[in-house]
Amino acid sequence: MDRVGTQLGPWLVGPVLGRGGMGVVYRAIHCADGRPAAVKQVDLDAPRVLAALRAEIAVLSRLRNPGVVRI
């Protein structure tokens, strides 16, 4: 489903940045201050996809690198 132009909380969803096995990642902009972000729409049809997403979040939340998005 295309989310471009949708507002999710304070975020305005922009174009697709990439697609993968778990879903789609969109560029987003904070409506109040213009801060950029990435928003991931996940396909949760399979229980193991949810487990994989939780594992990804756990790993990314510990990383501190200018080339990796902070969670």
Side-chain angles (χ1 to χ4, degrees):
M1 179 181 330
D2 186 14
R3 299 275 184 204
V4 175
T6 300
Q7 186 167 343
L8 299 171
W11 302 98
L12 181 61
V13 178
V16 172
L17 293 174
R19 297 177 191 277
M22 287 199 297
V24 181
V25 178
Y26 295 89
R27 179 182 308 272
I29 300 293
H30 194 278
C31 294
D33 61 18
R35 188 172 24 140
V39 173
K40 187 173 203 173
Q41 177 183 345
V42 180
D43 178 11
L44 293 177
D45 288 342
R48 72 175 185 194
V49 173
L50 182 55
L53 178 62
R54 287 182 174 147
E56 179 181 323
I57 290 168
V59 169
L60 288 174
S61 67
R62 293 189 303 267
L63 291 178
R64 297 292 180 264
N65 182 293
V68 177
V69 175
R70 289 197 62 193
I71 292 183

